[in-house]
Amino acid sequence: KKILPIFLMSFTLFGCSMGMIKSFVQTPELKGIQLKSFSAIDKQAVFDVAVYNPMLFSAISGIKGNIELNQLAIGSFSAANAGSLPALTTQTVTVPITLDSDTFIAAAKNVLLQREAKYRFLGDINTSAGSVPFIKQGNLSVQDIISALFR
């Protein structure tokens, strides 16, 4: 009979301490995204993503999600860090994106008409405290896209 109250108390204390730990875990940030290469033939784009770890410990192990170009979902990505991202540093992670051909062609036509590409990355950063959702958006100029095609 004494075991049940002790079990319940320890379970409650453990749950409270996990909640406190998660409240101290700061959210990693995407500092920048740059188009590194693009291949329509391979149906792939590669981005360099600068990820900042604001925590006092090494906790970031990967990133995954989807990308939109001018509000059209054009592909998905997933990249794991070789090691964990060191504390209080920014590290560039190379993220290959598998493109959906039909949607990408529609988005490419849209980019040429509008003369700009509005991108939006939606996904999760994997940390030791769990997955942290993120949204990063910005603009790629047509010049950025053309220079990536000729690299």
Side-chain angles (χ1 to χ4, degrees):
K1 291 183 180 187
K2 290 183 181 182
I3 293 177
L4 182 61
I6 292 171
F7 174 74
L8 289 175
M9 259 181 88
S10 63
F11 185 72
T12 303
L13 290 175
F14 178 74
C16 290
S17 67
M18 287 304 291
M20 288 177 58
I21 289 171
K22 285 189 176 186
S23 70
F24 288 115
V25 174
Q26 295 177 321
T27 304
E29 299 174 41
L30 297 184
K31 291 289 191 179
I33 297 174
Q34 182 177 7
L35 180 62
K36 185 175 180 180
S37 66
F38 166 78
S39 172
I41 294 169
D42 297 333
K43 300 176 187 174
Q44 187 176 48
V46 178
F47 287 83
D48 280 339
V49 179
V51 182
Y52 173 68
N53 180 6
M55 295 176 264
L56 297 174
F57 52 92
S58 189
I60 299 172
S61 60
I63 183 172
K64 65 181 175 185
N66 300 302
I67 184 170
E68 296 175 356
L69 186 61
N70 289 353
Q71 299 179 343
L72 296 171
I74 61 166
S76 60
F77 60 91
S78 179
N81 235 357
S84 287
L85 180 60
L88 304 173
T89 60
T90 300
Q91 181 175 329
T92 300
V93 178
T94 299
V95 180
I97 296 175
T98 305
L99 301 172
D100 175 282
S101 299
D102 296 333
T103 309
F104 181 73
I105 290 169
K109 288 177 184 176
N110 192 308
V111 167
L112 293 174
L113 290 173
Q114 293 185 11
R115 309 252 335 128
E116 74 173 351
K118 295 180 181 180
Y119 66 84
R120 189 164 81 153
F121 279 78
L122 305 131
D124 296 299
I125 297 175
N126 300 326
T127 72
S128 58
S131 292
V132 178
F134 71 86
I135 296 176
K136 177 71 173 177
Q137 47 194 12
N139 292 313
L140 290 171
S141 68
V142 172
Q143 184 178 8
D144 291 337
I145 294 169
I146 290 171
S147 67
L149 288 172
F150 293 106
R151 285 187 193 157

